[in-house]
Amino acid sequence: MKAGVVVFPGTNRERDMAHALTLASGQTPKMLWHQEESVDGLDLVIIPGGFSFGDYLRSGAMAAHSPIMTAVRRFAEKGGYILGVCNGFQILTEAQLLPGALLRNAGMRFLSQDCHLKVEGRDSIYTKGWSAGDVFRTPMAHGDGNYTASPEMLDRLEGEGRVAFRYCREDGHVQVDDPQINLNGSARAIAGVLSENRRICGMMPHPENLTDPAIGGTDGLPLFKAIVEAFGV
Amino acid sequence: MSLTVDGELARSFGLTAEEYDKVLAIMGRTPSLTELGIFSVMWSEHCSYKSSRKHLKTLPTKAPWVIHGPGENAGVIDIGDGLAAVFKMESHNHPSFIEPYQGAATGVGGIMRDVFTMGARPVANLNALRFGDAEHADTRRVVDGVVRGIGGYGNCMGVPTVGGETNFHRAYNGNPLVNAMTVGIAQKDRIFLSAAAGVGNPVVYVGSKTGRDGIHGATMSSAEFDDESSSKRPTVQVGDPFTEKLLVEACLELMATDAVISIQDMGAAGLTSSAVEMASKGEVGIDLDLDDVPQREANMLAYEMMLSESQERMLMVLRPDRTEQARKIFEKWELDFAVIGHLSDTGRITVRHKGNVEADIPLGPLADEAPIYDRPALNKEPPAYLTPPADPVGIEKALETLIASPDLASRSWIWNQYDSTVLGQTVKRPGAADAAIIRVEGTSRGLAMTTDCTPRYGQADPYVGGLQAVVEAWRNVTATGAQPLAMTDNLNFGSPENPYIMGQFVQAIKGMGEGGRALDFPIVSGNVSLYNETRSDTGLTSAILPSPVIGAVGVLDDIAQAVGLAMPEDGELLLVGETWGELGQSLWLREICGREEGAPPRINLVAERRNGDFVRQQIRQGAIKACHDVSDGGLLVAIAEMAMASGVGCYLQAHPRELSMHAYWFGEDQARYVIATSQADKLMAEAEKAGVPIRRLGDVGGSDLRFAYGTRLDVSHLKALNNAFFSRFMGEG
Amino acid sequence: MKVRVFVSLKEGVLDPQGKAVGHALASLGFKNVGDVRINRVVDLDVTAENADEARKEGEAMAKALLANEVIEDFNVEVVA
Amino acid sequence: MKVRVFVSLKEGVLDPQGKAVGHALASLGFKNVGDVRINRVVDLDVTAENADEARKEGEAMAKALLANEVIEDFNVEVVA
Ligand SMILES: Nc1ncnc2c1ncn2[C@@H]1O[C@H](COP(=O)(O)OP(=O)(O)O)[C@@H](O)[C@H]1O
Ligand SMILES: [Mg+2]
């Protein structure tokens, strides 16, 4: 698998992402500086977490207009696989490679804690490390993770099985209006979505931070294992 | 500006009449405004340590593993594998009262610069916070802003905030403490220092542009708060963590080359103190031309540029043949880069602006003749040992009250706003263990870190306050299995011009030194924050509690050995250390009886070391599954905290006959640890062999605390009480 | 020329900040406050021949970066 | 009544957001842009007898919460 991790000024979880990929595949991914103009030859482009351009203006806005995003868009048009985590998800929505937008957390505070996700999306390399309905634990760390989209778009995402992950309780219970469960107030408790062709995935929490047995557990590892399996090592 | 430089202006800049006379003698003429500005900030308490230097010198600062002690931007210790830990703590108390968000944020930004200036990548942030009374009208504003500000800056930088401590007390009304600590990791043979060298070498400015931010911040932070501080408000600086993130990456990239001869962050007193310090440490002169300083605002005066405290800036001396290479790196990161002068052989700092010489001062006298005071110090008689009062409520009720009180309530509301997992190396997150633990990337080693201070003990007896902060920090590192290696400190006190406060300061340092020596635990960096006082409308000043905050760092050879608070599902609980039932200055006395009285607990350094070494050794042998030191709130609070961390309960045997029930459960005797183990017999035997007092507390298991007296408390009930304070206090949920 | 780009959330998009501020105002005792919306104003110095050109430049910048048209509307004014 | 509170950073106070946005606009090819400042507008529905009262309420709210007077200035307008 040839993976590349995009680094914008202000990106700060690129090492975490590289570490997770290395654990899953035995190979270190390529780091892609935001001024590069091509991502050709890669199997997978990952946009990691952080505060690209300080997240000033709107989270992800300035990064979405960086030179490399032109290349990423071209890559997407050719059917490329893209994973955006946290700031990466925000960037993908700002770039309109994924629908919707991420607003300030409903409680107005940065949220850094473990949460539980229910795996929902079907037929994607990002979800097939689990069975539909599985629940896994993952850290989250964001200020703007409150997913929103038009009601029509939300219905469409549900109908097409493009809600990848939802916030839930440890036992799998989803409750949209419970701030202890749907921590950031996301529409329909959505934590991650897929593109129409299911090759682009954006999610807010950080499974990459729970992939190492020495660092709290491996609950997030199935995501990376499944990706590696899809492309071969 | 058409200000006349005279004694009166000097006084308004914070210089006394004698100090101004000294300036006149050094200069042999009336100084220019810029020169007066330079003297006033260099001779401020903040930069010159004029009241504290004499006493700081008595602290233990050496050990075989210390690479750089006090005197550099941060302390540096050897942590093995060719690596070094670089750390320091710094206060931003006054700015955090005026504008809590920006004050705290720029405090975090400043301490991170101190660490990466030395070539280390910051890998963890901690903080020590002291807020006013939770009932006080203004406290919520301060808590809200400070916590947001710390998170806002650290989260954006991508440096995990992994630990800290928070207390509330009315003595901090109007004068909160925000002490921020950063730990970084560097290759031990690639440490960068500030001493300039090489006459003719370029002096380079990088980072953000200079604006009129925080002019006279260094002198302001050494002035008591009063109503006039409101008129000084526009001097608050706004932090730009994004620029700092670029700055750290650019600096580390540059430091991987051989371009840098010396480097110094621009902190308090900005360009002045960085230029003066670099040149004086290197015993060279320095010529600056301010026309070349990147400026954010039009028509800035030399005086303003020299004193500006704009954030996110650095000063460096580069090898001339590497200057272009360096420029390219900073251009890549879209940061300003400007050659603003060069080193000279004159031994003077010369500042030019628009063709005029605005300052020309001999560096020798500026440093050597800086005032240094041996201020009178008086000690109050420490209070007598408390005659313990009777228990008015019973231990169950007392426990419920204590764990719900502001000082013992769960801090998860705070740490959930700090990114504690970024970088992917956090082994023990906030709340998981007595010290936070991060892995040293690429190794199996861990760093254990903590901040500690118990100001109420220091208020009663400042010597014990200083000593206890040291031993508690040492204990917290030990309780994870790590070997404590060194400390940084932040000495927060009132006005040193008050002999009783000076006495507190001197005694606290004495206690710290004593503890450091006994535990082979040197102090390698630190910060002094004096004049933490508020003046009320009636003109009365009141000082904060003496708060010598300790930050400690230890090493764990293998993170797999680290233990935290969470108990396993079964096994036994043991108590290491002796219990006398010391209730003086205890939280039980304050929260249950409403009294802040008596002598603080006694400290026995031999017992501390013996008990701690025993516990650490047993953790490393895998005999201990969970460990928690006994501190605020005493034994029962420690046990309850372990139960809440794991959701597992335990059965607790009755107190020993020779002690009263509440003194046993809530006394704050030192040198104690609660441990969970499945090898109780073996541990008891080994403790006996080592001369370590140990006793059985009870069996782990179930979902409640079950007392031998027949009562029980559900762990989930305790958790709910423990979690309630912050959201209620902040009016959320 | 001074160009002001006024960016607001589209109607129907929930404004979490506005909601929180509304709450906070109510708890501070401001009882006469209904809906609260928090919007953004970007003030720009633009070199342009005339107001019309400045406005056009402002609109282009809004579309390119300053507003996210998925959730936001914008409005450009030449102030001076 | 609709009250608009316009909040801006005091002169001389660094605006990191404006700075970064200015950079980004330049790199997107908007070469005619100089200084950029990002400000905040709070739109409030206020029940009041008359415009004067609404303005007063707006001012009180700005002072109490909407603006941080240490670093920000504000300005209240009754829009409708
Ligand atoms: N209380 C203290 N204990 C030990 N060292 C101290 C203490 N206070 C200051 N120092 C040391 O004095 C030096 C100057 O500190 P400081 O002026 O705070 O540095 P900076 O200029 O980076 O703010 C540093 O090396 C610091 O570690
Ligand atoms: Mg420094």
Side-chain angles (χ1 to χ4, degrees), chain A residues 106-107 111 113 175-185:
Chain A
L111 285 167
Q113 61 186 93
Q175 179 95 33
V176 176
D177 59 2
D178 183 346
Q180 303 295 326
I181 299 175
N182 184 19
L183 295 152
N184 55 25

Side-chain angles (χ1 to χ4, degrees), chain A residues 13 15-16 56 109 112 212, chain B residues 144 240 416 419 423 732:
Chain A
R13 263 187 167 84
R15 294 149 83 93
D16 312 41
Y56 298 149
R109 295 196 179 274
S112 165
D212 187 337
Chain B
D144 180 66
D240 182 358
N416 281 350
D419 190 342
L423 297 179
E732 297 171 358

Side-chain angles (χ1 to χ4, degrees), chain A residues 9-13 15-16 19 33 51 53-54 56 108-114 139 141 209 212 214-215, chain B residues 144 148 155-156 158 240-242 245-246 333 413 416-424 426 429 439 441 732:
Chain A
T11 295
N12 65 28
R13 263 187 167 84
R15 294 149 83 93
D16 312 41
H19 186 63
W33 185 235
F51 287 70
F53 298 93
Y56 298 149
M108 301 305 291
R109 295 196 179 274
F110 192 92
L111 285 167
S112 165
Q113 61 186 93
D114 278 353
N209 282 126
D212 187 337
I215 311 286
Chain B
D144 180 66
R148 280 184 199 278
N155 298 349
C156 182
D240 182 358
F242 171 56
K245 170 72 173 156
L246 303 183
W333 291 98
W413 181 89
N416 281 350
Q417 297 180 59
Y418 302 154
D419 190 342
S420 56
T421 53
V422 61
L423 297 179
T426 310
R429 298 188 206 169
R439 179 170 61 189
E441 198 181 334
E732 297 171 358

Side-chain angles (χ1 to χ4, degrees), chain B residues 21-33:
Chain B
D21 286 343
K22 235 185 203 176
V23 172
L24 290 176
I26 291 171
M27 296 303 293
R29 59 175 165 80
T30 304
S32 70
L33 178 66

Side-chain angles (χ1 to χ4, degrees), chain B residues 410-597:
Chain B
S410 164
R411 272 84 181 101
S412 60
W413 181 89
I414 295 178
W415 75 60
N416 281 350
Q417 297 180 59
Y418 302 154
D419 190 342
S420 56
T421 53
V422 61
L423 297 179
Q425 306 296 334
T426 310
V427 179
K428 295 285 181 209
R429 298 188 206 169
D434 279 340
I437 297 182
I438 58 151
R439 179 170 61 189
V440 178
E441 198 181 334
T443 74
S444 58
R445 255 167 219 278
L447 290 183
M449 298 156 289
T450 176
T451 61
D452 291 286
C453 180
T454 314
R456 63 179 190 279
Y457 294 169
Q459 179 71 6
D461 184 339
Y463 170 82
V464 174
L467 177 56
Q468 195 273 343
V470 169
V471 298
E472 185 173 344
W474 187 85
R475 222 153 51 209
N476 280 333
V477 170
T478 291
T480 65
Q483 177 67 49
L485 288 183
M487 298 182 264
T488 181
D489 69 63
N490 207 325
L491 305 175
N492 308 275
F493 288 80
S495 166
E497 292 162 41
N498 172 338
Y500 286 103
I501 290 190
M502 197 59 209
Q504 291 178 338
F505 185 77
V506 173
Q507 288 302 311
I509 289 190
K510 217 168 134 197
M512 288 163 54
E514 197 79 23
R517 276 183 293 271
L519 299 170
D520 288 321
F521 199 27
I523 290 175
V524 295
S525 61
N527 182 249
V528 177
S529 172
L530 300 175
Y531 298 96
N532 288 288
E533 305 198 339
T534 31
R535 193 178 317 154
S536 66
D537 306 338
T538 55
L540 284 175
T541 54
S542 59
I544 60 161
L545 305 182
S547 308
V549 176
I550 296 295
V553 173
V555 167
L556 203 65
D557 290 334
D558 182 358
I559 50 169
Q561 294 173 338
V563 301
L565 304 190
M567 306 187 289
E569 303 272 323
D570 56 25
E572 258 184 88
L573 276 190
L574 307 178
L575 173 65
V576 172
E578 205 144 9
T579 305
W580 309 93
E582 302 233 31
L583 286 172
Q585 300 299 335
S586 68
L587 283 185
W588 180 86
L589 189 69
R590 194 180 81 191
E591 299 296 323
I592 306 300
C593 305
R595 295 163 55 182
E596 298 178 49
E597 291 168 27

